[in-house]
Amino acid sequence: MSQRKSLQYKLLSVCSILLLVSCLFVPSILTSSPTDIAQPSAYGFFIPMPQTNDYENQYEQKEQMNTVMNLINDLLRLHIPVYWSSTDLTILSKEIKRTAPPEKSLFPRGTFIVPFTGDNCYDKQLISLIYDYNVSHELTKYWKPQVPIFMILEPIQKMDGYELAEPRIAYYYGKGISHENWYFDDLTKAGCLSNVFLDEAQILTQLTNRDFNIFIWGGGSLNHHVSNSIYTSSRILSLYKIKQFIVNGGGYLGSCYGAASASSGLRFLPMFLPAHYLPRLPTIGCLGLGDFLVSQSFPADINITIEKSDSPVLFGVNGTIKGSALVGAPVVTWYGKQTESLATVKDVDLTDRAWYAYLFPRFYSLPEPLIQHWVDFTQGKTIWTSSQCKKGKVVTFCDHPEEGDAKELRVLYNALFYVTSHQIHQIDFLKIKNILDIETTGEDSLNLVIEDFSSSTFLDVKNKIKETTQTYRELNDKYNYLEKVLFNLTDTGKMNNDFAYQIGYDGFWKSEWLVWECLQYLDFAWSENITDYVEQLDSISHMLVLKNVPIEKSITQIQKEIICKLTDSNTRLSQLSMYLDELKDELENYTNTTRQNNVIIKDCNKIDATSKQLYRDIPVLYFDILKVLRESWYTYEALAV
């Protein structure tokens, strides 16, 4: 009994000592600093693409997608790795700048994924951009929708995705192309700022896989469609150069004319199928990028059925697309193992017959049974395809998703990233950032503003812009006068309407539109223009100097480039002004002779060719300046936060 009590006393003594020791350490535990306790961390960001539908405001849907696309393209230009998820994923996440607690959320395939890099400078730029686009952006004076962005709060053991690359775009600008500006308008709104227009001669010397990763061939002109197609088909060396660009890993997007050009031939003339499987063979006419054949569709409005497919081109898109159009376009009548059908013609709508009959009188003047037979032939045919051409990825659209509704725009953006992406592989989430640090860096970046400052550094540039702008405005007066002269000739019966239309369309209406477009980029009061961007760039360069950062080489380079391109543009403007004066003299002294008509047509051709050169200069310069402006501001943000 005494032994048991002795044991109890010993146990009680030990417990007392342990209790005393623990009490001594309690104050240090209670007063430990926050850094001694593990803080919640994030592995990167998820950026979902807004979902599209047929019912909500189409403009708002497009603006939301364009804002996300601008963010992704800005990240890619800064060499921050961005991935595109190939599968759905449910993960613990939290939307930034929201008080709601973290929760498990489903992120569909096609979500953009940006892991932290572990490089402090890159990660600061990443966080600054994320907060900019989630709240507001200092580089625009217009409202932009906020981008919902989510922090990844748990490790992801295995996830595959496409590694994205900045789209560096070469547009086909050869004879007969008329819709290249549709692609250009859509993709520049989406933040694709690296763009070059190439004609047949320039393709031979400038189209390389080092400088570009995608070639875009848009729709063709309805006027002179056959003659232009024959001309393009005869440029064997240019076509071969395009094909080798794709074979060696370049991407290809083609609409309408561009879709037919990518095919392996017509339904009854599959002459280029061997060239697809043996890509080193030169081709005449079709490029043979995909093993599919085409036939002429009946021109009309159509509804489109999206095929069930795992193709990245269809991420976030399903069901039916209403109100598209086949305007002198092909349809796919056969495809092989290396081509996938993405969408088909659900039905053909002949409601708007009058408009199509005006554009295509030969089609709509056919007997009604033959029209119905052609309509039946068009229905059910494939109009979107995805093909593999050795290392290159090819996507074609027989219609025009560019300038389409929100669903078609999503398809276009999907196709752009798909054909320029690297191969799919596993994404690594190896680096983490403290959430408190993320929020502090993000909030600090939101407090930064561009200071108003004007220096003599950009004085020559600003003066050159004013000079060029004034020259463009003077040209507008000449176009207005030419229109009056032309209308007077038709009103008095001195010139027939068909020839007058040919002069207007091929001569100065398209040219006038191109000149007007260039003027908007230079100095347009209701839009952001080159003048605005140069003012901002001037201020940012001063702010970088105050941070003891020498003016970046890119800023110095863009100054020289602006002067050089505006000087070239002024030279072409002088040529264009001279050609317009020559046309004015011929029209003022018009006598309707064969010789004079031939001279007028030659003048019109010179006007058209020269104005197309202007369109290469000014819009491309506009986005080159914007690119340097954004990169310079993001450099400043990373230094300032």
Side-chain angles (χ1 to χ4, degrees):
M1 188 73 176
S2 61
Q3 290 179 347
R4 180 182 296 180
K5 285 185 176 181
S6 176
L7 181 61
Q8 289 176 342
Y9 284 128
K10 289 180 179 179
L11 289 173
L12 183 61
S13 299
V14 171
C15 290
S16 299
I17 293 170
L18 290 174
L19 180 62
L20 179 62
V21 171
S22 64
C23 289
L24 291 173
F25 280 94
V26 164
S28 66
I29 295 174
L30 294 175
T31 59
S32 62
S33 66
T35 56
D36 296 330
I37 302 175
Q39 294 292 318
S41 299
Y43 293 79
F45 299 99
F46 277 163
I47 308 170
M49 184 65 107
Q51 297 301 301
T52 59
N53 57 58
D54 300 322
Y55 310 107
E56 294 180 4
N57 186 293
Q58 290 289 306
Y59 173 78
E60 290 183 3
Q61 290 183 61
K62 289 183 177 182
E63 281 296 297
Q64 289 170 350
M65 281 193 291
N66 284 336
T67 306
V68 172
M69 290 289 290
N70 270 271
L71 169 57
I72 300 305
N73 278 304
D74 279 349
L75 292 171
L76 293 172
R77 267 189 299 277
L78 293 171
H79 308 292
I80 294 172
V82 181
Y83 299 88
W84 201 28
S85 66
S86 58
T87 57
D88 298 344
L89 183 69
T90 300
I91 196 77
L92 183 67
S93 64
K94 180 183 184 299
E95 187 173 356
I96 66 171
K97 291 193 69 65
R98 296 292 184 272
T99 56
E103 61 179 356
K104 291 271 188 178
S105 300
L106 173 65
F107 294 93
R109 60 182 187 159
T111 295
F112 299 104
I113 305 163
V114 194
F116 287 117
T117 65
D119 182 290
N120 190 50
C121 183
Y122 278 138
D123 287 342
K124 276 189 174 183
Q125 286 185 319
L126 166 60
I127 295 167
S128 297
L129 260 74
I130 290 292
Y131 272 73
D132 278 347
Y133 276 93
N134 179 255
V135 179
S136 62
H137 206 292
E138 301 89 347
L139 297 182
T140 180
K141 58 187 177 183
Y142 296 104
W143 171 85
K144 295 292 183 185
Q146 294 181 348
V147 178
I149 301 170
F150 299 81
M151 285 187 281
I152 305 168
L153 300 183
E154 63 176 308
I156 302 174
Q157 300 302 324
K158 185 177 180 180
M159 184 176 190
D160 291 336
Y162 294 88
E163 184 178 355
L164 299 182
E166 179 204 353
R168 291 171 285 114
I169 306 171
Y171 292 91
Y172 178 51
Y173 206 45
K175 195 170 183 178
I177 289 291
S178 65
H179 298 320
E180 74 293 322
N181 57 296
W182 290 9
Y183 270 113
F184 181 72
D185 287 347
D186 276 346
L187 297 182
T188 50
K189 287 175 185 175
C192 299
L193 307 183
S194 298
N195 307 278
V196 173
F197 295 97
L198 302 178
D199 60 24
E200 287 86 0
Q202 291 166 322
I203 285 170
L204 293 176
T205 58
Q206 298 182 33
L207 183 61
T208 66
N209 295 87
R210 182 188 66 253
D211 296 325
F212 304 99
N213 58 7
I214 180 172
F215 187 82
I216 294 180
W217 189 323
S221 171
L222 295 179
N223 286 348
H224 318 301
H225 179 69
V226 175
S227 61
N228 289 332
S229 297
I230 292 173
Y231 172 83
T232 303
S233 299
S234 67
R235 318 312 289 177
I236 299 175
L237 294 178
S238 299
L239 295 176
Y240 185 74
K241 183 77 172 183
I242 296 169
K243 186 169 185 179
Q244 296 315 304
F245 171 78
I246 311 302
V247 167
N248 292 324
Y252 180 94
L253 283 185
S255 286
C256 196
Y257 183 21
S261 298
S263 74
S264 289
L266 300 175
R267 181 186 184 190
F268 300 109
L269 293 170
M271 63 185 73
F272 302 112
L273 271 176
H276 170 74
Y277 299 110
L278 300 170
R280 298 297 174 186
L281 290 177
T283 58
I284 302 175
C286 298
L287 291 163
L289 300 180
D291 56 342
F292 63 93
L293 305 176
V294 297
S295 291
Q296 175 68 55
S297 68
F298 191 80
D301 290 333
I302 59 169
N303 296 318
I304 298 171
T305 298
I306 304 296
E307 299 286 280
K308 291 183 178 180
S309 169
D310 293 329
S311 172
V313 180
L314 300 181
F315 282 171
V317 181
N318 53 48
T320 301
I321 291 177
K322 301 177 180 178
S324 188
L326 292 174
V327 186
V331 287
V332 177
T333 53
W334 175 89
Y335 56 90
K337 293 182 179 180
Q338 294 183 10
T339 294
E340 180 183 9
S341 173
L342 303 178
T344 58
V345 179
K346 180 181 180 182
D347 51 60
V348 177
D349 183 2
L350 296 180
T351 304
D352 200 4
R353 289 185 68 138
W355 186 76
Y356 280 97
Y358 171 74
L359 292 177
F360 302 96
R362 289 179 298 172
F363 287 81
Y364 279 82
S365 61
L366 294 170
E368 196 62 32
L370 191 54
I371 291 177
Q372 189 58 50
H373 176 75
W374 208 336
V375 167
D376 293 341
F377 168 79
T378 300
Q379 289 184 164
K381 294 295 186 297
T382 291
I383 59 167
W384 297 353
T385 69
S386 174
S387 304
Q388 190 72 31
C389 184
K390 293 299 180 181
K391 295 180 181 179
K393 297 188 282 286
V394 178
V395 174
T396 65
F397 307 104
C398 294
D399 63 336
H400 289 279
E402 71 277 23
E403 295 297 317
D405 66 10
K407 277 187 177 180
E408 289 185 285
L409 199 62
R410 173 68 189 272
V411 170
L412 174 58
Y413 293 163
N414 286 347
L416 174 78
F417 278 142
Y418 170 62
V419 301
T420 57
S421 67
H422 304 294
Q423 292 303 316
I424 190 170
H425 62 80
Q426 185 171 328
I427 306 171
D428 293 325
F429 296 88
L430 302 178
K431 307 298 181 181
I432 61 173
K433 293 281 287 185
N434 184 291
I435 290 179
L436 183 60
D437 291 342
I438 294 171
E439 292 173 342
T440 301
T441 300
E443 293 296 337
D444 288 347
S445 72
L446 293 177
N447 294 326
L448 298 174
V449 295
I450 300 176
E451 302 168 4
D452 290 331
F453 182 83
S454 183
S455 71
S456 59
T457 308
F458 283 81
L459 185 60
D460 290 343
V461 171
K462 294 172 186 177
N463 289 336
K464 197 68 176 179
I465 292 171
K466 289 179 181 178
E467 175 192 337
T468 307
T469 302
Q470 182 58 35
T471 307
Y472 271 99
R473 287 180 175 148
E474 291 170 358
L475 272 185
N476 269 340
D477 296 337
K478 293 193 175 186
Y479 285 114
N480 292 334
Y481 180 75
L482 277 174
E483 285 186 7
K484 292 179 182 178
V485 174
L486 190 63
F487 288 143
N488 182 61
L489 287 173
T490 55
D491 290 343
T492 57
K494 294 181 179 179
M495 180 183 291
N496 69 63
N497 289 331
D498 289 340
F499 188 61
Y501 178 79
Q502 183 180 352
I503 294 171
Y505 187 83
D506 292 334
F508 59 85
W509 288 338
K510 287 191 297 183
S511 172
E512 182 179 15
W513 178 84
L514 290 173
V515 167
W516 183 85
E517 277 277 289
C518 291
L519 183 57
Q520 311 316 299
Y521 285 113
L522 276 168
D523 189 11
F524 188 49
W526 295 280
S527 180
E528 293 169 330
N529 51 57
I530 285 178
T531 305
D532 294 333
Y533 290 155
V534 167
E535 292 286 355
Q536 286 183 308
L537 197 55
D538 194 359
S539 296
I540 293 170
S541 64
H542 174 68
M543 294 167 70
L544 286 170
V545 170
L546 293 179
K547 283 287 180 183
N548 295 319
V549 179
I551 293 178
E552 291 186 324
K553 181 181 178 181
S554 56
I555 295 180
T556 307
Q557 184 62 36
I558 199 66
Q559 288 176 306
K560 296 177 182 177
E561 187 176 332
I562 293 171
I563 295 292
C564 181
K565 285 199 173 182
L566 291 181
T567 300
D568 290 344
S569 181
N570 285 336
T571 301
R572 293 192 179 100
L573 285 171
S574 298
Q575 292 176 334
L576 181 58
S577 179
M578 180 181 66
Y579 297 147
L580 290 172
D581 287 339
E582 290 175 359
L583 179 60
K584 176 178 73 73
D585 292 340
E586 294 293 340
L587 294 179
E588 286 179 338
N589 300 286
Y590 186 69
T591 56
N592 195 18
T593 64
T594 302
R595 186 205 63 80
Q596 190 179 39
N597 289 344
N598 289 335
V599 170
I600 288 174
I601 291 173
K602 287 181 181 179
D603 287 340
C604 290
N605 290 336
K606 289 187 289 187
I607 290 169
D608 180 60
T610 307
S611 56
K612 286 182 74 174
Q613 292 290 333
L614 289 171
Y615 197 72
R616 281 184 180 142
D617 292 338
I618 301 302
V620 171
L621 175 62
Y622 173 90
F623 291 108
D624 283 345
I625 297 172
L626 178 57
K627 181 165 55 176
V628 174
L629 172 64
R630 289 188 180 186
E631 291 172 356
S632 301
W633 175 246
Y634 301 146
T635 298
Y636 176 80
E637 280 192 318
L639 293 168
V641 296

